Amino acid sequence: MHDYSSAYRGEFSTRRGKRRFDDDEPTKVERVRQRRTLAPIEEFDATDGLPDGDRWSTWDQSTPTERGPKPYPDWLVTELAAVDAELGILKTGKEADVFLLRRGIPGTSRSCLLAAKRYRSGEHRMFHRDSGYLEGRRTRASRVNRAVANRSAFGREAIAAQWASAEFGALARLHAAEVPVPYPVQILDTELLLEFIGSADGTAAPRLAEIRPAAAELAGLWDQLVQALVALARDGLAHGDLSAYNLLVHDGRLVMIDLPQVVDVIANPRGAWFLNRDAANVSRWFAAHGLSGVYPEPAALSALLQREARLDP
């Protein structure tokens, strides 16, 4: 595979702490560390009913097109006898909350950890600056399009469903293209069940913004990120809101998350602008955090992505 990240390397200088970047702004996204203890699934007995907050597996409630790409991963529990045990909240945000679930078969050792992303209902605050992202997204139902444009109660509910559906579709598409994203397990209404990125004890992987990698690790993460962005652009997509807050780092592997606002750069008239902003945000973050000697110029990265997306830079 071609090392795209090396094509635009050069020297840079920066005064750390003198400038704030987009993803340095205060965020309402919070991580919640407290959750239920992960007791062995073999000890769980469902014969007397399920504990409060738990449910039977919802796998059979999603249609085949609402499930992740085949072949299903070996770790994924698809048996209908499984129980979804809610273990606590992983992250709260303006548009959705993410919960930790364990889907397991009672009385056996078969289980897996999942992240349940639940979008807020229409009466709650919706995605910030959503109009720009919705350009180029249309349904066949003109009534739905009008309701979305007018932001009626029905329209806001439709927008919530669009965010969930857009994220699930993007994750399925990108996973099939081997872009580093969580495996999308299934979608049910406005709930997405995703591969949990973290350790077996339920500790979520940190966001890139939460770590301070050494020089060699920082360069390796940058290389991974450029390859992922190139793969996105080749598929005609931009993340749309990329920053160090929606990139996870797990065992040295970079994983891209939070893609409800994914942008079709061909259909959206501002597609090139979103590519430019994504490139600028991540380039500046890596530079500000010490990517010495391999500073990724935002303009050069943006030009690369526009070429891969077959747009004129």
Side-chain angles (χ1 to χ4, degrees):
M1 182 177 292
H2 183 71
D3 183 7
Y4 287 96
S5 59
S6 64
Y8 299 100
R9 291 182 174 175
E11 297 297 330
F12 80 98
S13 61
T14 181
R15 290 181 296 173
R16 191 181 290 253
K18 296 297 184 182
R19 181 176 178 181
R20 296 178 63 88
F21 300 105
D22 290 349
D23 57 359
D24 292 325
E25 296 295 333
T27 176
K28 292 183 180 299
V29 175
E30 298 177 356
R31 292 206 168 196
V32 182
R33 303 296 183 184
Q34 296 181 346
R35 59 180 69 96
R36 282 167 50 181
T37 303
L38 279 171
I41 189 70
E42 299 96 320
E43 299 177 3
F44 178 68
D45 183 0
T47 56
D48 295 328
L50 301 180
D52 290 343
D54 293 352
R55 67 190 186 191
W56 293 106
S57 170
T58 60
W59 180 254
D60 62 332
Q61 297 180 40
S62 294
T63 66
T65 59
E66 295 172 331
R67 297 172 185 164
K70 290 184 177 181
Y72 301 133
D74 292 337
W75 56 262
L76 178 60
V77 175
T78 60
E79 292 86 342
L80 300 186
V83 170
D84 290 346
E86 192 156 310
L87 303 175
I89 191 165
L90 290 171
K91 185 178 71 171
T92 63
K94 296 185 292 296
E95 293 80 38
D97 296 326
V98 182
F99 296 81
L100 179 66
L101 297 184
R102 180 174 62 185
R103 176 169 286 178
I105 303 174
T108 75
S109 60
R110 178 124 170 92
S111 68
C112 64
L113 292 176
L114 302 174
K117 186 171 185 178
R118 297 168 184 163
Y119 282 88
R120 301 185 186 281
S121 60
E123 63 266 16
H124 291 85
R125 182 179 180 185
M126 292 308 304
F127 197 87
H128 64 291
R129 303 183 304 277
D130 62 6
S131 59
Y133 298 102
L134 291 173
E135 289 186 82
R137 288 188 197 173
R138 295 293 183 269
T139 70
R140 293 184 178 180
S142 58
R143 173 174 174 261
V144 175
N145 289 332
R146 288 195 301 271
V148 167
N150 295 331
R151 298 301 192 273
S152 65
F154 173 73
R156 291 194 300 272
E157 292 292 347
I159 292 172
Q162 282 190 23
W163 292 132
S165 179
E167 181 161 25
F168 181 79
L171 288 170
R173 181 172 166 179
L174 295 174
H175 185 272
E178 299 185 350
V179 177
V181 295
Y183 177 79
V185 173
Q186 68 182 103
I187 181 173
L188 188 63
D189 297 324
T190 56
E191 179 188 74
L192 271 66
L193 290 184
L194 309 171
E195 173 189 4
F196 171 70
I197 307 298
S199 59
D201 66 358
T203 301
R207 294 176 291 180
L208 177 62
E210 297 174 327
I211 67 172
R212 292 294 178 266
E217 183 183 5
L218 191 68
L221 292 173
W222 167 252
D223 289 343
Q224 292 182 52
L225 178 57
V226 173
Q227 297 289 351
L229 291 177
V230 165
L232 268 172
R234 282 180 177 171
D235 213 15
L237 300 175
H239 184 285
D241 197 29
L242 190 61
S243 77
Y245 285 95
N246 41 41
L247 293 166
L248 301 181
V249 180
H250 182 55
D251 293 337
R253 175 173 172 255
L254 197 73
V255 181
M256 190 178 296
I257 61 169
D258 293 338
L259 287 110
Q261 71 293 316
V262 66
V263 174
D264 183 324
V265 297
I266 306 300
N268 192 305
R270 302 176 69 199
W273 183 87
F274 283 108
L275 280 176
N276 291 343
R277 189 176 70 170
D278 283 353
N281 283 348
V282 294
S283 296
R284 289 168 178 167
W285 188 91
F286 273 86
H289 288 78
L291 197 56
S292 178
V294 289
Y295 175 48
E297 288 287 346
L301 177 57
S302 178
L304 169 65
L305 297 181
Q306 289 189 55
R307 286 197 301 273
E308 294 296 333
R310 295 172 296 280
L311 296 174
D312 292 328

